[in-house]
Amino acid sequence: MAAVHGLCAGGGQYFLNESDIIICSDDAVFFDPHANVGIVSSLEPVGMLHRGVPLGDVLRWALMGNEERITAETACASGW
């Protein structure tokens, strides 16, 4: 079980992938800064795909870096 309040970036997403239940506050925001520093994000997107998030949404999230932030409401709607 994991609880998210505020920003959840990069490696924090890994902990969410390992959780069976995720509880988010209204102000939770998810993003992956790996692309901004030239590192390939791998574990986080695979976990998102495993949860059933559509491939297009996962790729946009992983490749846009700091520019693509997903709110708790959007994450819930897309299957997180």
mmCIF file of all heavy atoms in Angstrom, residues 16-47:
data_model
loop_
_atom_site.group_PDB
_atom_site.id
_atom_site.type_symbol
_atom_site.label_atom_id
_atom_site.label_comp_id
_atom_site.label_asym_id
_atom_site.label_seq_id
_atom_site.Cartn_x
_atom_site.Cartn_y
_atom_site.Cartn_z
ATOM 1 N N LEU A 16 5.413 2.922 -6.376
ATOM 2 C CA LEU A 16 4.002 2.749 -6.709
ATOM 3 C C LEU A 16 3.771 1.476 -7.508
ATOM 4 O O LEU A 16 2.772 0.785 -7.327
ATOM 5 C CB LEU A 16 3.487 3.953 -7.490
ATOM 6 C CG LEU A 16 3.549 5.297 -6.779
ATOM 7 C CD1 LEU A 16 2.964 6.380 -7.655
ATOM 8 C CD2 LEU A 16 2.857 5.238 -5.439
ATOM 9 N N ASN A 17 4.716 1.155 -8.385
ATOM 10 C CA ASN A 17 4.597 -0.071 -9.170
ATOM 11 C C ASN A 17 4.620 -1.309 -8.281
ATOM 12 O O ASN A 17 4.033 -2.325 -8.615
ATOM 13 C CB ASN A 17 5.721 -0.163 -10.200
ATOM 14 C CG ASN A 17 5.575 0.838 -11.308
ATOM 15 O OD1 ASN A 17 4.502 1.365 -11.536
ATOM 16 N ND2 ASN A 17 6.652 1.116 -11.999
ATOM 17 N N GLU A 18 5.294 -1.224 -7.162
ATOM 18 C CA GLU A 18 5.398 -2.357 -6.246
ATOM 19 C C GLU A 18 4.198 -2.461 -5.307
ATOM 20 O O GLU A 18 4.075 -3.436 -4.574
ATOM 21 C CB GLU A 18 6.683 -2.250 -5.416
ATOM 22 C CG GLU A 18 7.949 -2.323 -6.244
ATOM 23 C CD GLU A 18 8.110 -3.677 -6.931
ATOM 24 O OE1 GLU A 18 7.836 -4.701 -6.277
ATOM 25 O OE2 GLU A 18 8.500 -3.687 -8.106
ATOM 26 N N SER A 19 3.327 -1.484 -5.331
ATOM 27 C CA SER A 19 2.190 -1.448 -4.412
ATOM 28 C C SER A 19 0.945 -2.038 -5.046
ATOM 29 O O SER A 19 0.688 -1.854 -6.234
ATOM 30 C CB SER A 19 1.895 -0.006 -3.998
ATOM 31 O OG SER A 19 3.004 0.551 -3.348
ATOM 32 N N ASP A 20 0.160 -2.723 -4.237
ATOM 33 C CA ASP A 20 -1.120 -3.248 -4.706
ATOM 34 C C ASP A 20 -2.212 -2.194 -4.630
ATOM 35 O O ASP A 20 -3.137 -2.188 -5.430
ATOM 36 C CB ASP A 20 -1.536 -4.460 -3.870
ATOM 37 C CG ASP A 20 -0.611 -5.637 -4.081
ATOM 38 O OD1 ASP A 20 -0.134 -5.828 -5.221
ATOM 39 O OD2 ASP A 20 -0.366 -6.373 -3.115
ATOM 40 N N ILE A 21 -2.116 -1.309 -3.649
ATOM 41 C CA ILE A 21 -3.116 -0.266 -3.441
ATOM 42 C C ILE A 21 -2.399 1.081 -3.360
ATOM 43 O O ILE A 21 -1.425 1.225 -2.629
ATOM 44 C CB ILE A 21 -3.909 -0.507 -2.142
ATOM 45 C CG1 ILE A 21 -4.652 -1.838 -2.234
ATOM 46 C CG2 ILE A 21 -4.874 0.640 -1.874
ATOM 47 C CD1 ILE A 21 -5.265 -2.275 -0.928
ATOM 48 N N ILE A 22 -2.899 2.065 -4.121
ATOM 49 C CA ILE A 22 -2.326 3.408 -4.096
ATOM 50 C C ILE A 22 -3.441 4.381 -3.739
ATOM 51 O O ILE A 22 -4.494 4.389 -4.364
ATOM 52 C CB ILE A 22 -1.741 3.790 -5.468
ATOM 53 C CG1 ILE A 22 -0.677 2.786 -5.891
ATOM 54 C CG2 ILE A 22 -1.165 5.204 -5.425
ATOM 55 C CD1 ILE A 22 -0.232 2.940 -7.324
ATOM 56 N N ILE A 23 -3.190 5.188 -2.726
ATOM 57 C CA ILE A 23 -4.139 6.211 -2.294
ATOM 58 C C ILE A 23 -3.493 7.573 -2.553
ATOM 59 O O ILE A 23 -2.375 7.825 -2.116
ATOM 60 C CB ILE A 23 -4.491 6.054 -0.803
ATOM 61 C CG1 ILE A 23 -5.110 4.678 -0.577
ATOM 62 C CG2 ILE A 23 -5.416 7.163 -0.348
ATOM 63 C CD1 ILE A 23 -5.269 4.311 0.871
ATOM 64 N N CYS A 24 -4.193 8.435 -3.281
ATOM 65 C CA CYS A 24 -3.647 9.739 -3.652
ATOM 66 C C CYS A 24 -4.484 10.868 -3.076
ATOM 67 O O CYS A 24 -5.706 10.783 -3.048
ATOM 68 C CB CYS A 24 -3.625 9.900 -5.167
ATOM 69 S SG CYS A 24 -2.600 8.719 -6.016
ATOM 70 N N SER A 25 -3.800 11.927 -2.680
ATOM 71 C CA SER A 25 -4.507 13.145 -2.305
ATOM 72 C C SER A 25 -4.900 13.871 -3.591
ATOM 73 O O SER A 25 -4.435 13.535 -4.681
ATOM 74 C CB SER A 25 -3.611 14.028 -1.437
ATOM 75 O OG SER A 25 -2.511 14.484 -2.196
ATOM 76 N N ASP A 26 -5.742 14.874 -3.466
ATOM 77 C CA ASP A 26 -6.197 15.633 -4.630
ATOM 78 C C ASP A 26 -5.059 16.375 -5.323
ATOM 79 O O ASP A 26 -5.134 16.652 -6.516
ATOM 80 C CB ASP A 26 -7.267 16.644 -4.233
ATOM 81 C CG ASP A 26 -8.572 15.968 -3.845
ATOM 82 O OD1 ASP A 26 -8.785 14.819 -4.265
ATOM 83 O OD2 ASP A 26 -9.362 16.598 -3.131
ATOM 84 N N ASP A 27 -4.001 16.693 -4.574
ATOM 85 C CA ASP A 27 -2.905 17.458 -5.167
ATOM 86 C C ASP A 27 -1.740 16.592 -5.630
ATOM 87 O O ASP A 27 -0.671 17.101 -5.950
ATOM 88 C CB ASP A 27 -2.415 18.529 -4.192
ATOM 89 C CG ASP A 27 -1.734 17.952 -2.970
ATOM 90 O OD1 ASP A 27 -1.896 16.741 -2.699
ATOM 91 O OD2 ASP A 27 -1.048 18.709 -2.270
ATOM 92 N N ALA A 28 -1.912 15.276 -5.698
ATOM 93 C CA ALA A 28 -0.846 14.388 -6.169
ATOM 94 C C ALA A 28 -0.593 14.631 -7.654
ATOM 95 O O ALA A 28 -1.513 14.781 -8.442
ATOM 96 C CB ALA A 28 -1.220 12.935 -5.931
ATOM 97 N N VAL A 29 0.689 14.682 -8.030
ATOM 98 C CA VAL A 29 1.112 14.884 -9.413
ATOM 99 C C VAL A 29 2.273 13.935 -9.692
ATOM 100 O O VAL A 29 3.185 13.808 -8.888
ATOM 101 C CB VAL A 29 1.573 16.339 -9.654
ATOM 102 C CG1 VAL A 29 2.057 16.524 -11.072
ATOM 103 C CG2 VAL A 29 0.451 17.312 -9.352
ATOM 104 N N PHE A 30 2.212 13.276 -10.845
ATOM 105 C CA PHE A 30 3.231 12.303 -11.228
ATOM 106 C C PHE A 30 3.972 12.782 -12.463
ATOM 107 O O PHE A 30 3.362 13.234 -13.426
ATOM 108 C CB PHE A 30 2.563 10.954 -11.551
ATOM 109 C CG PHE A 30 1.671 10.458 -10.453
ATOM 110 C CD1 PHE A 30 0.328 10.794 -10.426
ATOM 111 C CD2 PHE A 30 2.181 9.666 -9.450
ATOM 112 C CE1 PHE A 30 -0.502 10.341 -9.421
ATOM 113 C CE2 PHE A 30 1.351 9.208 -8.430
ATOM 114 C CZ PHE A 30 0.016 9.541 -8.417
ATOM 115 N N PHE A 31 5.301 12.666 -12.443
ATOM 116 C CA PHE A 31 6.091 12.965 -13.631
ATOM 117 C C PHE A 31 7.407 12.210 -13.558
ATOM 118 O O PHE A 31 7.791 11.703 -12.515
ATOM 119 C CB PHE A 31 6.319 14.478 -13.814
ATOM 120 C CG PHE A 31 7.179 15.117 -12.775
ATOM 121 C CD1 PHE A 31 8.516 15.365 -13.030
ATOM 122 C CD2 PHE A 31 6.654 15.513 -11.556
ATOM 123 C CE1 PHE A 31 9.313 15.990 -12.074
ATOM 124 C CE2 PHE A 31 7.438 16.133 -10.603
ATOM 125 C CZ PHE A 31 8.773 16.365 -10.867
ATOM 126 N N ASP A 32 8.081 12.101 -14.707
ATOM 127 C CA ASP A 32 9.319 11.340 -14.790
ATOM 128 C C ASP A 32 10.425 12.206 -15.372
ATOM 129 O O ASP A 32 10.444 12.459 -16.575
ATOM 130 C CB ASP A 32 9.103 10.107 -15.658
ATOM 131 C CG ASP A 32 10.276 9.157 -15.620
ATOM 132 O OD1 ASP A 32 11.237 9.416 -14.874
ATOM 133 O OD2 ASP A 32 10.241 8.146 -16.332
ATOM 134 N N PRO A 33 11.353 12.661 -14.546
ATOM 135 C CA PRO A 33 12.399 13.564 -15.025
ATOM 136 C C PRO A 33 13.570 12.869 -15.730
ATOM 137 O O PRO A 33 14.513 13.530 -16.145
ATOM 138 C CB PRO A 33 12.872 14.239 -13.733
ATOM 139 C CG PRO A 33 12.656 13.203 -12.684
ATOM 140 C CD PRO A 33 11.400 12.489 -13.098
ATOM 141 N N HIS A 34 13.529 11.551 -15.892
ATOM 142 C CA HIS A 34 14.650 10.842 -16.507
ATOM 143 C C HIS A 34 15.040 11.437 -17.859
ATOM 144 O O HIS A 34 16.223 11.621 -18.140
ATOM 145 C CB HIS A 34 14.313 9.354 -16.691
ATOM 146 C CG HIS A 34 14.325 8.571 -15.430
ATOM 147 N ND1 HIS A 34 13.173 8.227 -14.758
ATOM 148 C CD2 HIS A 34 15.340 8.049 -14.709
ATOM 149 C CE1 HIS A 34 13.482 7.524 -13.689
ATOM 150 N NE2 HIS A 34 14.793 7.406 -13.630
ATOM 151 N N ALA A 35 14.061 11.696 -18.716
ATOM 152 C CA ALA A 35 14.351 12.192 -20.068
ATOM 153 C C ALA A 35 15.061 13.541 -20.039
ATOM 154 O O ALA A 35 15.861 13.836 -20.928
ATOM 155 C CB ALA A 35 13.067 12.299 -20.880
ATOM 156 N N ASN A 36 14.816 14.346 -19.025
ATOM 157 C CA ASN A 36 15.435 15.673 -18.951
ATOM 158 C C ASN A 36 16.930 15.613 -18.650
ATOM 159 O O ASN A 36 17.643 16.573 -18.903
ATOM 160 C CB ASN A 36 14.749 16.530 -17.889
ATOM 161 C CG ASN A 36 13.362 16.918 -18.315
ATOM 162 O OD1 ASN A 36 12.453 16.110 -18.233
ATOM 163 N ND2 ASN A 36 13.205 18.140 -18.784
ATOM 164 N N VAL A 37 17.392 14.499 -18.093
ATOM 165 C CA VAL A 37 18.818 14.377 -17.774
ATOM 166 C C VAL A 37 19.498 13.311 -18.627
ATOM 167 O O VAL A 37 20.603 12.883 -18.323
ATOM 168 C CB VAL A 37 19.033 14.100 -16.267
ATOM 169 C CG1 VAL A 37 18.611 15.289 -15.441
ATOM 170 C CG2 VAL A 37 18.302 12.849 -15.815
ATOM 171 N N GLY A 38 18.820 12.872 -19.686
ATOM 172 C CA GLY A 38 19.425 11.939 -20.628
ATOM 173 C C GLY A 38 19.483 10.499 -20.173
ATOM 174 O O GLY A 38 20.318 9.733 -20.652
ATOM 175 N N ILE A 39 18.617 10.106 -19.263
ATOM 176 C CA ILE A 39 18.577 8.731 -18.773
ATOM 177 C C ILE A 39 17.303 8.075 -19.294
ATOM 178 O O ILE A 39 16.245 8.694 -19.327
ATOM 179 C CB ILE A 39 18.584 8.695 -17.230
ATOM 180 C CG1 ILE A 39 19.853 9.351 -16.698
ATOM 181 C CG2 ILE A 39 18.463 7.269 -16.713
ATOM 182 C CD1 ILE A 39 19.855 9.516 -15.188
ATOM 183 N N VAL A 40 17.408 6.821 -19.673
ATOM 184 C CA VAL A 40 16.241 6.088 -20.155
ATOM 185 C C VAL A 40 15.427 5.597 -18.968
ATOM 186 O O VAL A 40 15.949 4.963 -18.062
ATOM 187 C CB VAL A 40 16.668 4.895 -21.028
ATOM 188 C CG1 VAL A 40 15.461 4.071 -21.443
ATOM 189 C CG2 VAL A 40 17.443 5.368 -22.230
ATOM 190 N N SER A 41 14.159 5.894 -18.973
ATOM 191 C CA SER A 41 13.248 5.400 -17.955
ATOM 192 C C SER A 41 12.785 4.016 -18.395
ATOM 193 O O SER A 41 12.311 3.842 -19.511
ATOM 194 C CB SER A 41 12.059 6.354 -17.842
ATOM 195 O OG SER A 41 11.146 5.880 -16.909
ATOM 196 N N SER A 42 12.936 3.020 -17.521
ATOM 197 C CA SER A 42 12.552 1.675 -17.941
ATOM 198 C C SER A 42 11.583 1.004 -16.975
ATOM 199 O O SER A 42 10.512 0.558 -17.363
ATOM 200 C CB SER A 42 13.792 0.812 -18.116
ATOM 201 O OG SER A 42 14.540 0.777 -16.916
ATOM 202 N N LEU A 43 11.926 0.926 -15.710
ATOM 203 C CA LEU A 43 11.089 0.209 -14.756
ATOM 204 C C LEU A 43 9.739 0.877 -14.539
ATOM 205 O O LEU A 43 8.721 0.198 -14.430
ATOM 206 C CB LEU A 43 11.807 0.063 -13.417
ATOM 207 C CG LEU A 43 13.033 -0.834 -13.421
ATOM 208 C CD1 LEU A 43 13.726 -0.791 -12.069
ATOM 209 C CD2 LEU A 43 12.669 -2.255 -13.793
ATOM 210 N N GLU A 44 9.724 2.176 -14.465
ATOM 211 C CA GLU A 44 8.482 2.888 -14.193
ATOM 212 C C GLU A 44 7.455 2.690 -15.305
ATOM 213 O O GLU A 44 6.304 2.346 -15.027
ATOM 214 C CB GLU A 44 8.758 4.376 -13.948
ATOM 215 C CG GLU A 44 9.597 4.646 -12.716
ATOM 216 C CD GLU A 44 11.095 4.519 -12.928
ATOM 217 O OE1 GLU A 44 11.535 4.203 -14.050
ATOM 218 O OE2 GLU A 44 11.837 4.728 -11.964
ATOM 219 N N PRO A 45 7.821 2.875 -16.597
ATOM 220 C CA PRO A 45 6.837 2.657 -17.660
ATOM 221 C C PRO A 45 6.350 1.207 -17.744
ATOM 222 O O PRO A 45 5.181 0.963 -18.019
ATOM 223 C CB PRO A 45 7.596 3.046 -18.939
ATOM 224 C CG PRO A 45 8.628 3.996 -18.479
ATOM 225 C CD PRO A 45 9.036 3.502 -17.124
ATOM 226 N N VAL A 46 7.236 0.244 -17.509
ATOM 227 C CA VAL A 46 6.819 -1.160 -17.551
ATOM 228 C C VAL A 46 5.768 -1.431 -16.475
ATOM 229 O O VAL A 46 4.778 -2.120 -16.710
ATOM 230 C CB VAL A 46 8.031 -2.100 -17.402
ATOM 231 C CG1 VAL A 46 7.590 -3.524 -17.173
ATOM 232 C CG2 VAL A 46 8.922 -2.002 -18.626
ATOM 233 N N GLY A 47 5.957 -0.858 -15.296
ATOM 234 C CA GLY A 47 4.979 -1.017 -14.230
ATOM 235 C C GLY A 47 3.645 -0.394 -14.584
ATOM 236 O O GLY A 47 2.584 -0.928 -14.248
#
